[in-house]
Amino acid sequence: MKGKPAGRGPMALTADLVARVERIEPDPGPEPGTAEHSDAEFDGLVEQVLSQYRPEALWVFAYGSLIWNPEFVPVEQRPATAPGWHRSFCLKLTRWRGTRELPALMLALDRGGSCNGIVYRLREDHFGQLGQLMRREIDANPPTNVPRWIKVRTREGPLRALAFVAAPDGRAYAGRLPPEQVADTLARAAGHWGSSAQYLFRTVSKLEESGIHDRNLWRIQDLVARQIIASAAGAEPA
């Protein structure tokens, strides 16, 4: 069901508040010790994923920016739940929406709990569709946000879908952080793709629009809004 449950007001984080911290920073490029994947390496990742499981229908589980900016036209979509995984700001970024001086945090699936999201069925060109996804979702080489086939539940029955999950041994893995620390980062960090506050605003807005309420993200957006307001007033957030 779409819409907000009774008793919950609008988001505290608004487009106007995001505009106060919106900026573009120069792209610092890959961190020392990492590199960008070549086309051959991306093709190899796709082959590796398809060697693990070659689906008749290709489903992708979306839990963050793939919901509000999928960059593909799905054939079909369904609400879905991924048991054993939860949505978490557990990836540290030193480019895109952050810098080396002020790293950002990005969502990934981390172990434990469950996650409500959307599964998209993609076109029959599985190799091409997966290649596009790899180039979009995987940053550093070696990556911390890695592709994995997971089990999801839908009203029409269980599915096996591709998702991008956090590798706990990856160099960009930030672990489980308190909401206050996450909010402080998201309120201040920005990169050549824009601010982390914008990323949060678009994600929570689209989740709510899709009938998905994430209590942790709802709390974080409220904390980020308070931080932006307090910073503008030159005070500590309440």
Side-chain angles (χ1 to χ4, degrees), residues 13 37 41 43 55 59 62 67 82 103 137 141 177 179 184 191 207-208:
L13 186 62
H37 288 80
E41 287 171 324
D43 288 347
W59 293 90
I67 293 178
E137 293 295 310
N141 185 6
L177 303 173
D184 179 69
L207 287 173
E208 292 287 317

Side-chain angles (χ1 to χ4, degrees), residues 18 21-24 97 186 189-191 193-200:
V18 170
V21 295
E22 191 59 35
R23 65 187 188 279
I24 302 296
R97 292 190 183 272
L186 299 180
W193 278 10
S195 70
S196 292
Q198 180 193 73
Y199 173 87
L200 174 68

Side-chain angles (χ1 to χ4, degrees), residues 60-100:
V60 173
F61 181 72
Y63 52 86
S65 64
L66 275 177
I67 293 178
W68 54 263
N69 186 28
E71 295 184 3
F72 52 71
V73 179
V75 177
E76 181 184 352
Q77 68 181 67
R78 302 176 187 175
T81 300
W85 300 93
H86 69 283
R87 190 185 284 108
S88 175
F89 277 102
C90 61
L91 294 184
K92 183 179 72 172
L93 293 182
T94 57
R95 60 190 305 208
W96 313 112
R97 292 190 183 272
T99 62
R100 290 177 196 158

Side-chain angles (χ1 to χ4, degrees), residues 33-224:
T34 69
E36 294 180 333
H37 288 80
S38 67
D39 285 338
E41 287 171 324
F42 277 124
D43 288 347
L45 286 171
V46 173
E47 289 170 358
Q48 180 181 352
V49 165
L50 290 175
S51 72
Q52 297 165 356
Y53 174 61
R54 192 171 293 273
E56 194 169 310
L58 174 59
W59 293 90
V60 173
F61 181 72
Y63 52 86
S65 64
L66 275 177
I67 293 178
W68 54 263
N69 186 28
E71 295 184 3
F72 52 71
V73 179
V75 177
E76 181 184 352
Q77 68 181 67
R78 302 176 187 175
T81 300
W85 300 93
H86 69 283
R87 190 185 284 108
S88 175
F89 277 102
C90 61
L91 294 184
K92 183 179 72 172
L93 293 182
T94 57
R95 60 190 305 208
W96 313 112
R97 292 190 183 272
T99 62
R100 290 177 196 158
E101 294 74 26
L102 184 54
L105 290 168
M106 188 182 79
L107 287 171
L109 287 184
D110 206 355
R111 287 283 189 180
S114 68
C115 179
N116 293 324
I118 297 173
V119 283
Y120 296 107
R121 180 164 65 88
L122 305 191
R123 298 195 314 263
E124 292 183 359
D125 172 25
H126 292 181
F127 193 92
Q129 294 289 293
L130 287 175
Q132 183 178 341
L133 274 171
M134 299 296 175
R135 287 164 172 81
R136 172 204 158 94
E137 293 295 310
I138 295 177
D139 176 16
N141 185 6
T144 303
N145 199 24
V146 298
R148 182 186 178 102
W149 296 106
I150 65 171
K151 295 178 180 178
V152 300
R153 298 193 299 256
T154 74
R155 287 191 293 264
E156 293 81 1
L159 293 171
R160 197 172 181 184
L162 188 75
F164 289 86
V165 308
D169 57 350
R171 63 184 295 162
Y173 182 66
R176 299 190 183 188
L177 303 173
E180 294 78 9
Q181 184 177 346
V182 173
D184 179 69
T185 298
L186 299 180
R188 297 184 300 119
H192 66 286
W193 278 10
S195 70
S196 292
Q198 180 193 73
Y199 173 87
L200 174 68
F201 174 74
R202 289 178 175 175
T203 300
V204 178
S205 297
K206 194 63 178 180
L207 287 173
E208 292 287 317
E209 181 184 318
S210 302
I212 301 169
H213 180 65
D214 186 303
R215 287 181 295 176
N216 184 50
L217 262 61
W218 191 259
R219 182 183 178 193
I220 289 171
Q221 66 83 25
D222 184 72
L223 291 170
V224 168

